[in-house]
Amino acid sequence: MISAITSLITGGIDAYKQHGINKANKLKRQDDMEQARHDAKVNRLKNGDEKAADLDMVSIKERGLKDEFILLVVFVPLMLSFIPDYAPYVDAGFAALKSVPEYYWYVVAAVVIDTFGFRSMVRYLLEFFAFKFKGK
């Protein structure tokens, strides 16, 4: 009788230990899967960043008159706003820009990003804000 009770208690303890081992193995597999997902995501981001950086380098090597034109368009109004005779014209110009449709500003931003080779920076910002909005 005592051997039966001992064997029952020993079997229960063994089953409890096996349950703990199974639970630990399940957590280990979940950790391994999360690590694999993380590694795959890092590799995708790394490959994308390298491609964006390569495109940026091509853009930088092929700079031409369009870069100088964009610099003039951006900085001339800034400089003219400090000259009293031209400040009203700058104000009028910016007032007129308020009526430009929003989609046009996206096109302007895309042209500037392409011209100055800011693809990798924009990619980083998009990923940063995507993760921020997801709450991660």
Side-chain angles (χ1 to χ4, degrees):
M1 178 78 167
I2 292 181
S3 67
I5 293 174
T6 306
S7 118
L8 184 62
I9 290 173
T10 306
I13 291 172
D14 288 342
Y16 181 75
K17 287 180 181 176
Q18 188 61 43
H19 176 72
I21 291 170
N22 290 345
K23 203 171 189 179
N25 288 340
K26 182 179 177 183
L27 287 173
K28 175 77 169 119
R29 286 191 303 273
Q30 286 176 343
D31 287 345
D32 290 343
M33 289 298 293
E34 286 298 318
Q35 184 63 42
R37 284 188 197 110
H38 175 73
D39 291 343
K41 186 183 281 188
V42 167
N43 286 336
R44 284 194 309 271
L45 292 174
K46 183 178 172 185
N47 290 337
D49 284 345
E50 288 173 359
K51 290 177 185 173
D54 290 343
L55 288 172
D56 288 344
M57 289 305 295
V58 168
S59 180
I60 289 169
K61 287 180 183 176
E62 295 178 0
R63 290 195 174 200
L65 291 177
K66 65 181 179 177
D67 295 343
E68 280 72 24
F69 175 74
I70 288 177
L71 283 172
L72 284 174
V73 167
V74 170
F75 287 108
V76 165
L78 180 69
M79 292 183 292
L80 288 178
S81 63
F82 288 101
I83 301 172
D85 291 340
Y86 292 102
Y89 295 110
V90 174
D91 287 339
F94 281 114
L97 288 176
K98 288 180 183 176
S99 64
V100 173
E102 185 177 350
Y103 67 87
Y104 183 79
W105 291 116
Y106 292 119
V107 172
V108 170
V111 169
V112 170
I113 288 167
D114 181 59
T115 301
F116 289 126
F118 292 145
R119 288 179 199 86
S120 58
M121 180 187 73
V122 170
R123 181 183 174 94
Y124 170 78
L125 290 173
L126 289 174
E127 289 169 356
F128 173 78
F129 285 112
F131 285 124
K132 187 174 182 179
F133 289 128
K134 285 182 181 180
K136 293 184 178 182

